[in-house]
Amino acid sequence: MMQSIVFIGGGNMTTSLISGLRHAGWSGDAITVVDHNADKRERLSEQYGVQTVAQAESSHLRAADAVVLAVKPQVMAETARALAPVFEDARPLILSIAAGIPLSALRRWLGADFAYVRCMPNTPSLLGVGATGLYADEVATTEQRQLADDIMATAGINAWVDDESLIDAVIATSGSGPAYFFAFMEAMIAGARDLGLDETAARELVLQTALGAARMATESGDDPATLRAKVTSKGGTTAAALNHFEAGDLDKLVAGAMHAASDRASELARDLSDG
């Protein structure tokens, strides 16, 4: 029997996950979206054939195997507290994809006797090429972990961590990571312009190079260090550029940036939890 899923919130990430689930063969009848916005409900219903409702009712939640909390972190406390009395005796798996909300806060707002999985997807998930970090609490069964994995795998690849505190490391790595690469692309485009290329040529060359490098890293079977060595001739142009990066201590700069992101994630989690 197809397991049923209720999404609380019908935004971009919900749309991405539903698209992936439907392509994976999930029945539209097994998916319900709860959202106050009538336009979102109509779009999701027409495009993906899922069930949509304006308010969560006990009948929807009682029948669900999994409930995905997909609202903005700033309204999670209000949403969870409103849902708590609606669950009645239902105890579905609860997946949270809200950044910065620790499970301790969800237990306080929603209830302590649920199985929880905290998920941290990133923005490329909207294209089905995302990276998601997941943490399951001790209540979640093997079957519930598999259900969470099946749901989130429709958006890309999954990586499980065995300590919730490591979600901050996931945020600093894959959650914020796309922006690091975008910033590097910006810098390369600016460098290409400074060398005399026009904007169009600079942009096209940089973006295609980034795409090609990513595909080589994911499809060649070699790790990035090996790939770097293969394209770096001693005394050549690539070596000259890499030596410049090394002189500027690129490794230390990147590590420092990621630590800053992780520390900020911890601060925001405390603020959101207290709020």
Side-chain angles (χ1 to χ4, degrees):
M1 181 178 178
M2 183 70 67
Q3 291 171 296
S4 60
I5 308 169
V6 173
F7 288 89
I8 310 297
N12 289 335
M13 192 58 67
T14 290
T15 301
S16 172
L17 290 171
I18 289 175
S19 175
L21 288 166
R22 295 291 280 126
H23 279 103
W26 225 278
S27 168
D29 292 335
I31 302 170
T32 301
V33 180
V34 181
D35 198 291
H36 296 301
N37 187 296
D39 291 337
K40 288 182 181 179
R41 295 199 307 272
E42 182 178 2
R43 175 178 52 81
L44 288 166
S45 178
E46 290 183 353
Q47 188 169 356
Y48 298 107
V50 299
Q51 312 300 306
T52 63
V53 293
Q55 298 284 345
E57 298 177 359
S58 58
S59 59
H60 301 127
L61 300 180
R62 207 165 30 240
D65 294 293
V67 173
V68 182
L69 302 178
V71 297
K72 293 183 183 299
Q74 294 80 1
V75 299
M76 181 61 82
E78 177 186 358
T79 300
R81 289 183 179 120
L83 284 173
V86 185
F87 274 102
E88 296 182 346
D89 58 347
R91 289 297 176 267
L93 170 67
I94 304 295
L95 283 80
S96 171
I97 61 173
I101 304 292
L103 295 188
S104 59
L106 290 176
R107 293 188 186 102
R108 189 168 70 250
W109 301 331
L110 187 60
D113 51 350
F114 291 95
Y116 286 96
V117 173
R118 187 175 168 193
C119 311
M120 184 62 232
N122 62 6
T123 50
S125 297
L126 300 175
L127 302 177
V129 289
T132 299
L134 302 96
Y135 167 76
D137 69 3
E138 63 280 358
V139 180
T141 65
T142 300
E143 292 75 15
Q144 288 174 319
R145 283 174 60 103
Q146 185 60 57
L147 176 57
D149 198 82
D150 290 343
I151 293 170
M152 299 309 300
T154 65
I157 64 101
N158 293 336
W160 288 86
V161 296
D162 57 9
D163 189 309
E164 188 181 0
S165 66
L166 292 173
I167 290 292
D168 290 340
V170 171
I171 291 172
T173 303
S174 56
S176 298
Y180 311 158
F181 290 101
F182 298 150
F184 194 80
M185 291 176 200
E186 286 183 271
M188 281 192 66
I189 291 170
R193 291 291 307 278
D194 191 55
L195 289 169
L197 294 177
D198 62 38
E199 177 68 27
T200 299
R203 184 177 184 276
E204 289 180 349
L205 288 170
V206 168
L207 298 189
Q208 186 65 20
T209 300
L211 175 62
R215 286 196 59 180
M216 288 184 71
T218 56
E219 298 175 17
S220 70
D222 290 331
D223 60 34
T226 300
L227 290 170
R228 173 184 53 75
K230 284 183 176 181
V231 298
T232 306
S233 301
K234 186 176 181 179
T237 59
T238 306
L242 293 177
N243 288 340
H244 194 81
F245 284 145
E246 186 175 351
D249 208 343
L250 179 63
D251 288 353
K252 183 177 180 180
L253 181 65
V254 172
M258 293 176 69
H259 276 283
S262 179
D263 292 344
R264 182 57 177 155
S266 298
E267 293 171 2
L268 291 172
R270 287 194 295 271
D271 292 344
L272 289 167
S273 179
D274 292 342

